[in-house]
Amino acid sequence: MRILIVDDDEMGSKMVQFLLTEQGYQVDIVDNARGALALVERQPPDLMLLDVMMPQFNGFQIYQRLRERDFDIPVIFVTGKDELEDKLQGLRMGADDYICKPFQPAELTARVEAVLRRYKKSLSGERRTLLTGSLQLDIPTHMVTLPDGRNRQLTQREMQLLLELVHHAGHAVSREDLLDAVWGENYPGGSNIVDVFVRRLRQKLERDPAAPALIQAVRGIGYKFAGDA
């Protein structure tokens, strides 16, 4: 399991790296937001320890950017501040846990193990594969196998949108229903985000994205999955 530490405290980061490496984890350290985002783009870790008080972008802003880029990575916020409002903000954003400095090594390892255990349990509880007439979907890994055997890696949100369309195969689903199902009823943006993600899916899955055969637009309504037709 790979853990990414994002913290500008070099000495503290190296101590945590040593501690977690002793527990059998592979641990990388980044001391700035841009480096963290670039590393996640190249190889997403299994867990992030994300310091709140960072220069340029704070931990909450880094976390928000990860969500905007559709990365679903377990996150434990780490900070020297023991303020209730900071804890609540992190948890409201969807973080998995929050730990305050200074902490005991046993507390950190216990929290890391608990978050990874919950995450692995949620993945193992998912249905692993789904076969349509033209695609094979490996749901936990977000991998789609095309009819010609090629594989396409989706993000979590792309897979959620594709699954929602596949579950209503042959029937039109409105943009509003797709928005509620995939992004949630309280999503602050408009339904045009659905169009953006449909374009992304077509680029990855369609033989000719300009003339889509799998995900078709239904005028005045939304989209339908025609891959089983």
Side-chain angles (χ1 to χ4, degrees), residues 26-193:
Q26 178 182 335
V27 183
D28 298 313
I29 297 174
V30 178
D31 64 0
N32 63 87
R34 289 187 176 86
L37 294 171
L39 187 59
V40 170
E41 288 277 1
R42 290 198 303 271
Q43 187 178 7
D46 297 292
L47 173 69
M48 291 181 67
L49 296 177
L50 184 54
D51 187 55
V52 172
M53 302 302 292
M54 294 279 293
Q56 297 179 335
F57 301 106
N58 65 38
F60 297 138
Q61 291 170 315
I62 296 173
Y63 184 82
Q64 183 62 37
R65 293 197 175 203
L66 288 172
R67 289 299 181 261
E68 290 171 354
R69 297 184 186 189
D70 209 28
F71 286 104
D72 180 32
I73 301 169
V75 169
I76 298 176
F77 279 118
V78 182
T79 182
K81 299 175 67 177
D82 190 15
E83 296 182 7
L84 178 60
E85 188 54 42
D86 284 337
K87 292 183 180 180
L88 292 178
Q89 181 179 349
L91 296 174
R92 288 193 193 107
M93 293 177 72
D96 297 87
D97 205 347
Y98 199 111
I99 187 170
C100 294
K101 302 175 184 178
F103 46 76
Q104 294 297 319
E107 179 187 9
L108 176 65
T109 55
R111 289 179 182 271
V112 166
E113 290 170 1
V115 169
L116 288 173
R117 186 166 55 247
R118 289 198 302 268
Y119 190 68
K120 287 188 288 186
K121 183 177 180 180
S122 69
L123 288 181
S124 64
E126 295 181 11
R127 183 178 177 183
R128 286 203 59 85
T129 59
L130 177 65
L131 298 175
T132 75
S134 53
L135 303 175
Q136 177 176 313
L137 283 57
D138 190 302
I139 299 170
T141 64
H142 308 151
M143 188 70 71
V144 176
T145 302
L146 303 180
D148 60 8
R150 291 178 298 162
N151 291 325
R152 291 290 183 266
Q153 182 69 58
L154 305 186
T155 66
Q156 183 195 33
R157 196 83 70 178
E158 289 168 350
M159 177 60 82
Q160 288 177 318
L161 179 59
L162 179 59
L163 284 172
E164 191 65 23
L165 291 166
V166 167
H167 289 157
H168 297 87
H171 300 279
V173 186
S174 71
R175 288 177 176 81
E176 290 73 21
D177 286 343
L178 291 171
L179 186 69
D180 289 347
V182 178
W183 283 267
E185 295 180 359
N186 297 321
Y187 178 72
S191 61
N192 64 320
I193 189 67

Side-chain angles (χ1 to χ4, degrees), residues 3 14-28:
I3 297 176
K14 288 185 176 180
M15 291 179 61
V16 174
Q17 182 184 43
F18 175 79
L19 173 66
L20 295 176
T21 300
E22 287 292 297
Q23 299 298 315
Y25 299 105
Q26 178 182 335
V27 183
D28 298 313

